[in-house]
Amino acid sequence: MRGKRFNAVGIIIFLLFGNLFVFGSSHTSENATPIKIGHLLSQTGSLKDKGEYAAMGARLALEENNVLAGFFGKKFTLVSESFTHSELAPQMALKLIKENNVVAIVGNLNEQESRLVSELTQMQGVPFFNSASKADSLRGVDCHRYTFHLEASAAIYVSAIGHWLIHKEKLTRWYFLTDDSPANIKIYEQAQTFLNKENGEEIGHEIVSANKSNYHSILKKIKRAKPDAVFVILNSDKQINFLKQYKKRGLPFQVVGAYMDIVQLWKHEAADLTGVWPTIWYHELFRYSARELNNRFFKRFNKPMDSAAWANWAAVKIIGEVVIRSQSTEGKKIIEYLESNRPFDGHKGSALTFRNRDHQLKQPLHLVTPRTEPGKREWDILKVVTPVPIPGLKVEGNSLEKLGVPHSECKCQLEPL
Amino acid sequence: MNQLIITLVLVYFSLLPELIARPLAYVSNERSNSVTVIDTATDEVVDTIAVGSRPRGIGLSPDGSILYLALGRDDAIGVVDTKSGKQTGEISSGSDPEAFSISPEGHRLYVSNEDANTASIIDTQTHEILAILPVGIEPEGVAVSPNGKTVYVTAETSHTVSVIDTEALEVVSTILVESRPRAAAFSPDGNRAYVTSEIGGIVSVIDTKTNKVTGSIKLEQGDKPIKPMGVVVSPDGKRIYVATGWANLVAVIDAATNTVTTYIPVGMRVWGLALTKDGKKLYTANGVSNDVSVIDTEINKVVATIPAGEGPWGIAIEM
């Protein structure tokens, strides 16, 4: 009887408090001097909306790091700074380094902010992990030895969707729609270069103002041009607006985007949308161990894990693991460890490492598209089209090593350590 | 006369389980909710037992009379009476149990609880939970040392092995291994343990006296990624056999040199492994080809392929 009582009570207690117990004081080393990780959260532009998910991802990783650290008498803390003006980014980074003695900085920053922080951290000898900027220049002419990239580059996103369009769907005549922002113009140039290399044809290109909201005249032009595919390079809110108008108009051409903030899609009905987009994470990935990570995140925050959450989770998780495994908080030792290509488990079914030539994380992506049938939850409005690299597709560039800018065209020259 | 025939028929059927040649191998089929029973003398299927939902981890009591199964969707350990071939009960285990191990004398079950980040210690007689111990994140593989004094529990997300003292009922040490440790196995003398790390692509060798990693064995074949999963050690301790999931191979490791001596092609998505008591035959659960490969360990070749249920996951063989 006593045993049965313990059985029932024990299970109830652990169901109620199991995670608290495990993530709480039992495992963290309360008396240890905290090892600090800096987290910069830009509140500029579209990053303002992503900040919440970036912060949640980092927090989950911190808690997981502290389970591991607790076993070895160590403890991590996260020191977060947010700002609304890009020029403040390096000041905040310097504050984290000088006042807080952080061992590394994770930056959910735009291209300009990332560039400034990358330059600063290089000079300070502190590792910097870019979790938001897609700019290829950060992996090219502006690359730095102390900077690593969790977010995929624009060229990676373009080649992910481009290989699918050309080699799987055989859609080679593209019509581009971009806005006039420098970041999206660069992505357009990447896509144009990709299309030329693949012997495709650009049959139209429309550049619109970044605040355009009515696409009536453009839809007429697309209809007349009869492309195989419409390649949309607009910020996510504008892209969704365009897609709704496109869907309503009933045009038959395949629509794709270079990127999409999936959190913004959750506010809309799948039936109103059309398109295929690459993403580095999706909350309905249940293959490999993605299910476990998605479950842990949802259980912790009652929200699904998006790409920003994943990139920031991965960055903080990597820093924690490297510090524990290398038994060092020295920047140089962290860089050496990361360049040694010891694999990291990002719950993507593959061993993840950084590409030595430009410090880009080599990681699988997924192409997603709106569901035709309703999902279980309000967030379940997409389904996976294919993983990338695309299984069974034997073309140059369809591999983790070669996705994005080819080695021969990489302009990154990393400084000596 | 009729009475005599009826009596003989009854006697025949009551003795039927005993007439089946032994030892038997039991294979859990996670998608068809069944256990395939194989006569290892003939390598033929002799029975299929219906069990609870999503059976994966599998183990036999030392006398072979009770088969335990981790029933992931029932949140329980299923209890099967091997004589009658029926599931006779369940033990509450916490959510989604995947793997467990049985103490050498059969009195205890050590269960990893993936969602709760704990390991449960259960008395097999009373079904009482003797202890629930916090371990690493996403615990999975469980191995009991040959003398029963130590249990290793792997944790996939914290990349750790928690060392449990089974007398004190507490975690006495935590070992950091390579990325995503899945399974563990002790050498017969208990001096070494082998831990497979899926993402690391490594089998870590642990000195069980110091609980320190003393060796790392890299699994690779050209540019083909190899992810070590299930692991067993031969009865003489000279060889370690490692399942490699989607690589569809079993790696054979020389324990003296800690090197891979050969890779044996088997069925698709090989996961669970089990050796016969004499170590002459190795059985592999092939989760996608829905079969079991039988390897002759003297020649390191598959000598039979036996159809199983859907999604074979683990194997236990009578000793």
Side-chain angles (χ1 to χ4, degrees):
Chain A
M1 187 63 193
R2 187 185 64 82
K4 283 180 183 166
R5 202 164 48 236
F6 181 84
N7 187 335
V9 172
I11 286 172
I12 289 166
I13 287 171
F14 266 80
L15 284 175
L16 286 172
F17 301 113
N19 278 345
L20 184 66
F21 182 48
V22 169
F23 286 138
S25 60
S26 69
H27 272 303
T28 53
S29 196
E30 292 299 332
N31 297 326
T33 305
I35 299 164
K36 295 175 183 171
I37 299 170
H39 197 201
L40 287 175
L41 294 160
S42 173
Q43 300 294 305
T44 60
S46 61
L47 289 171
K48 189 178 177 184
D49 295 331
K50 286 175 176 282
E52 180 192 3
Y53 281 83
M56 289 190 288
R59 209 176 312 150
L60 180 67
L62 178 76
E63 291 167 356
E64 294 182 357
N65 281 349
N66 274 332
V67 174
L68 177 61
F71 293 134
F72 304 100
K74 296 185 188 300
K75 183 185 178 184
F76 290 97
T77 56
L78 203 60
V79 186
S80 300
E81 294 286 354
S82 57
F83 50 87
T84 51
H85 298 288
S86 292
E87 56 272 25
L88 291 175
Q91 287 179 40
M92 293 297 177
L94 198 59
K95 184 182 169 195
L96 289 172
I97 295 166
K98 296 294 184 190
E99 293 182 21
N100 300 106
N101 295 315
V102 296
V103 296
I105 293 174
V106 177
N108 201 61
L109 309 172
N110 66 28
E111 177 181 352
Q112 181 197 354
E113 294 156 357
S114 296
R115 183 173 292 106
L116 293 170
V117 172
S118 179
E119 286 167 5
L120 177 91
T121 50
Q122 177 66 29
M123 287 190 285
Q124 296 292 327
V126 173
F128 168 55
F129 294 80
N130 162 31
S131 60
S133 176
K134 301 172 182 66
D136 280 282
S137 60
L138 294 171
R139 291 92 167 157
V141 287
D142 296 331
C143 74
H144 288 297
R145 190 71 178 261
Y146 275 77
T147 297
F148 293 80
H149 307 278
L150 280 301
E151 170 64 299
S153 69
I156 289 176
Y157 282 113
V158 164
S159 53
I161 195 75
H163 282 307
W164 177 76
L165 273 179
I166 287 181
H167 298 289
K168 294 299 280 188
E169 300 299 301
K170 311 295 180 195
L171 303 175
T172 58
R173 299 167 63 252
W174 297 0
Y175 193 108
F176 288 101
L177 172 61
T178 63
D179 67 29
D180 54 6
S181 66
N184 283 336
I185 293 287
K186 282 179 194 166
I187 295 175
Y188 160 66
E189 288 166 357
Q190 287 284 359
Q192 197 182 35
T193 305
F194 178 90
L195 187 61
N196 287 338
K197 278 186 188 165
E198 297 287 344
N199 298 317
E201 185 186 354
E202 178 180 345
I203 66 161
H205 177 208
E206 203 68 35
I207 302 178
V208 299
S209 146
N211 54 16
K212 186 175 179 64
S213 58
N214 188 325
Y215 298 95
H216 180 74
S217 60
I218 291 165
L219 291 171
K220 281 170 77 175
K221 287 183 186 175
I222 293 172
K223 188 178 180 184
R224 277 198 300 272
K226 294 182 180 167
D228 288 346
V230 182
F231 200 123
V232 187
I233 310 169
L234 299 172
N235 289 341
S236 296
D237 55 339
K238 300 295 177 190
Q239 203 179 150
I240 291 167
N241 183 24
F242 170 80
L243 296 173
K244 284 184 158 183
Q245 292 178 39
Y246 186 94
K247 184 78 187 276
K248 205 169 182 180
R249 184 91 175 189
L251 296 185
F253 320 116
Q254 175 69 57
V255 181
V256 299
Y259 63 88
M260 172 60 80
D261 178 3
I262 290 172
V263 174
Q264 293 207 35
L265 281 180
W266 293 338
K267 301 169 194 159
H268 304 272
E269 297 289 331
D272 295 337
L273 301 165
T274 183
V276 176
W277 309 275
T279 182
I280 58 169
W281 189 259
Y282 183 54
H283 71 274
E284 285 192 274
L285 292 177
F286 288 131
R287 287 196 72 190
Y288 312 114
S289 56
R291 184 184 66 161
E292 282 77 16
L293 179 56
N294 275 322
N295 286 346
R296 287 204 304 277
F297 189 91
F298 193 83
K299 199 171 167 183
R300 177 69 177 81
F301 300 108
N302 207 28
K303 286 183 177 174
M305 187 177 221
D306 81 327
S307 289
W310 183 86
N312 285 274
W313 169 85
V316 173
K317 194 86 194 304
I318 286 173
I319 294 165
E321 286 186 22
V322 173
V323 167
I324 296 293
R325 286 189 186 278
S326 66
Q327 297 183 40
S328 175
T329 55
E330 191 191 330
K332 189 180 170 191
K333 297 277 184 201
I334 293 173
I335 304 303
E336 284 173 346
Y337 184 98
L338 292 169
E339 290 181 347
S340 72
N341 286 321
R342 273 182 79 171
F344 165 71
D345 180 17
H347 291 252
K348 290 190 169 196
S350 299
L352 304 185
T353 56
F354 290 97
R355 197 157 54 193
N356 280 352
R357 67 176 146 97
D358 59 3
H359 286 181
Q360 171 66 53
L361 186 71
K362 295 184 281 182
Q363 57 175 314
L365 285 76
H366 285 82
L367 302 187
V368 293
T369 192
R371 285 174 179 269
T372 47
E373 70 294 338
K376 284 183 192 163
R377 301 170 299 176
E378 61 190 285
W379 307 284
D380 303 342
I381 64 168
L382 301 177
K383 62 182 180 184
V384 171
V385 176
T386 180
V388 177
I390 299 168
L393 178 63
K394 298 199 186 314
V395 297
E396 182 72 12
N398 185 46
S399 70
L400 289 182
E401 183 62 39
K402 293 182 177 175
L403 269 176
V405 174
H407 194 175
S408 58
E409 294 169 27
C410 179
K411 292 175 181 157
C412 172
Q413 290 193 319
L414 296 169
E415 303 90 338
L417 257 187
Chain B
M1 185 61 186
N2 282 350
Q3 272 187 329
L4 180 64
I5 291 169
I6 290 166
T7 305
L8 285 172
V9 168
L10 286 173
V11 167
Y12 173 79
F13 278 105
S14 68
L15 290 176
L16 188 58
E18 307 300 326
L19 296 175
I20 295 172
R22 289 172 184 268
L24 298 176
Y26 298 87
V27 183
S28 59
N29 302 306
E30 66 172 316
R31 292 197 301 277
S32 55
N33 301 330
S34 64
V35 169
T36 302
V37 186
I38 297 166
D39 180 343
T40 60
T42 61
D43 286 333
E44 287 179 356
V45 175
V46 293
D47 197 8
T48 300
I49 303 169
V51 295
S53 190
R54 203 179 184 196
R56 288 189 286 175
I58 187 166
L60 276 164
S61 62
D63 64 2
S65 64
I66 301 170
L67 181 70
Y68 297 99
L69 293 156
L71 302 173
R73 296 217 177 94
D74 292 344
D75 297 337
I77 302 294
V79 180
V80 173
D81 174 13
T82 56
K83 196 168 182 180
S84 65
K86 304 278 184 208
Q87 185 176 329
T88 55
E90 286 185 352
I91 305 171
S92 293
S93 67
S95 80
D96 195 15
E98 184 171 333
F100 65 88
S101 197
I102 303 167
S103 60
E105 81 294 336
H107 294 163
R108 285 181 181 177
L109 291 178
Y110 300 93
V111 185
S112 60
N113 305 309
E114 185 172 274
D115 290 350
N117 301 330
T118 59
S120 305
I121 303 173
I122 300 169
D123 186 311
T124 55
Q125 305 297 309
T126 63
H127 296 183
E128 178 185 2
I129 296 177
L130 303 173
I132 301 174
L133 305 175
V135 289
I137 306 173
E138 265 190 78
E140 171 140 329
V142 184
V144 185
S145 63
N147 64 9
K149 290 185 175 176
T150 306
V151 172
Y152 276 17
V153 181
T154 68
E156 295 168 297
T157 291
S158 52
H159 321 300
T160 51
V161 177
S162 296
V163 182
I164 296 172
D165 179 328
T166 60
E167 286 173 9
L169 296 182
E170 60 185 37
V171 175
V172 292
S173 183
T174 302
I175 307 163
L176 183 62
V177 292
E178 297 299 322
S179 277
R180 206 159 189 82
R182 300 297 294 249
F186 283 87
S187 60
D189 62 9
N191 290 334
R192 295 211 273 185
Y194 301 92
V195 176
T196 59
S197 290
E198 177 188 359
I199 293 295
I202 294 281
V203 177
S204 297
V205 185
I206 295 169
D207 179 333
T208 57
K209 288 194 178 73
T210 60
N211 288 322
K212 303 276 184 203
V213 175
T214 56
S216 292
I217 304 159
K218 178 85 179 160
L219 267 57
E220 54 194 350
Q221 206 181 39
D223 58 355
K224 199 175 172 185
I226 292 187
K227 298 175 179 175
M229 299 292 188
V231 58
V232 291
V233 184
S234 63
D236 61 7
K238 290 181 178 172
R239 287 181 183 181
I240 300 106
Y241 299 94
V242 181
T244 63
W246 286 101
N248 308 329
L249 301 166
V250 168
V252 184
I253 294 168
D254 181 336
T257 60
N258 283 345
T259 53
V260 178
T261 55
T262 190
Y263 290 98
I264 307 167
V266 291
M268 290 175 70
R269 210 209 69 160
V270 53
W271 211 265
L273 302 174
L275 281 158
T276 51
K277 189 177 181 180
D278 59 9
K280 289 184 175 174
K281 285 163 94 175
L282 175 69
Y283 289 72
T284 76
N286 309 321
V288 169
S289 51
N290 296 330
D291 52 28
V292 171
S293 301
V294 184
I295 293 169
D296 180 328
T297 58
E298 286 181 5
I299 57 172
N300 284 335
K301 285 202 164 67
V302 172
V303 291
T305 301
I306 306 163
E310 289 177 40
W313 194 94
I315 305 183
I317 298 179
E318 290 176 332
M319 290 292 134

